[in-house]
Amino acid sequence: MADLTANTTMAEITSTFPGSKRALFARYHIGGCSSCAYRDDETLAEVCERNEIKADEAIEYILESHEVDKAMLISPQEVKALLDSGEEVLLLDTRTREEHEAVAIAGSKFMTQEYQQELFGTWGKDKLIVLYDHTGGRVLDTCAWFQGHGLKGARGMTGGIDAWSKEVDKSVPRYRLEMD
């Protein structure tokens, strides 16, 4: 998407700017609960009008937040190059235990609450942690959580394990989740 305008739908915004939902909720309390929710087919202008926010201000904030989000991301190819170079990289799987046990990137650790708390207390603040999920859709939230707890070396892998499988290691099986 080349331009973000007040007439852009929320579905287009959240697809193009994955962290926009988090950003809108953090700054304006929009989209985080049933009382402030929006529909995918609503335009940004409609959402802003209902919430008494200037659309231009919301656009500016979404774009600023997107630049911050991009700095938290790392591509599968960059991760592979770091691993190949011998750099110390902690690969941390944020998916469900069932997903991790079914298919995982070699050498990755499964993130439990206990392991997360251990990392917050012992892992070097600037040491590289690469978080990954299934398709990269939720990794930014987890990455922001880690950085907010002082682990500034946390990065989220774009495209998740699915991109890793397509772009780096085709021996890692791809899968899709079936939702009821």
Side-chain angles (χ1 to χ4, degrees):
M1 167 182 277
D3 294 315
L4 173 59
T5 71
N7 292 322
T8 306
T9 67
M10 296 308 293
E12 292 171 314
I13 292 170
T14 57
S15 174
T16 304
F17 305 99
S20 61
K21 185 172 186 174
R22 182 182 66 253
L24 288 171
F25 183 73
R27 179 166 251 185
Y28 304 111
H29 193 85
I30 294 174
C33 59
S34 59
S35 67
C36 64
Y38 51 78
R39 294 184 328 272
D40 284 345
D41 64 341
E42 282 185 281
T43 65
L44 181 61
E46 292 169 327
V47 172
C48 286
E49 182 178 337
R50 184 173 66 251
N51 288 281
E52 300 177 354
I53 298 164
K54 295 178 182 173
D56 290 344
E57 178 184 316
I59 289 169
E60 183 177 332
Y61 189 67
I62 290 169
L63 294 174
E64 286 173 9
S65 296
H66 184 63
E67 290 304 311
V68 171
D69 288 349
K70 285 188 340 187
M72 288 192 289
L73 294 174
I74 187 168
S75 75
Q77 295 86 357
E78 290 172 302
V79 174
K80 174 77 166 122
L82 289 168
L83 292 169
D84 288 349
S85 75
E87 177 107 13
E88 183 179 13
V89 177
L90 172 61
L91 283 171
L92 193 55
D93 188 345
T94 66
R95 300 170 302 146
T96 66
R97 182 174 299 282
E98 293 79 15
E99 287 175 283
H100 179 75
E101 290 174 356
V103 60
I105 297 173
S108 66
K109 304 284 187 198
F110 176 66
M111 185 177 77
T112 63
Q113 284 187 335
E114 294 81 17
Y115 190 54
Q116 176 183 299
Q117 291 306 312
E118 179 184 327
L119 288 172
F120 286 169
T122 63
W123 193 257
K125 302 299 181 193
D126 294 316
K127 288 174 71 176
L128 184 59
I129 299 174
V130 175
L131 304 146
Y132 72 90
D133 59 10
H134 182 206
T135 60
R138 290 178 286 174
V139 77
L140 273 173
D141 291 341
T142 309
C143 191
W145 172 259
F146 270 64
Q147 287 193 4
H149 280 84
L151 296 175
K152 301 304 180 193
R155 298 290 176 268
M157 188 166 65
T158 57
I161 194 170
D162 194 55
W164 180 269
S165 177
K166 289 188 297 189
E167 301 168 18
V168 173
D169 184 356
K170 294 186 185 328
S171 73
V172 174
R174 294 183 68 207
Y175 66 96
R176 71 182 185 127
L177 294 174
E178 301 273 336
M179 299 294 187
D180 291 332

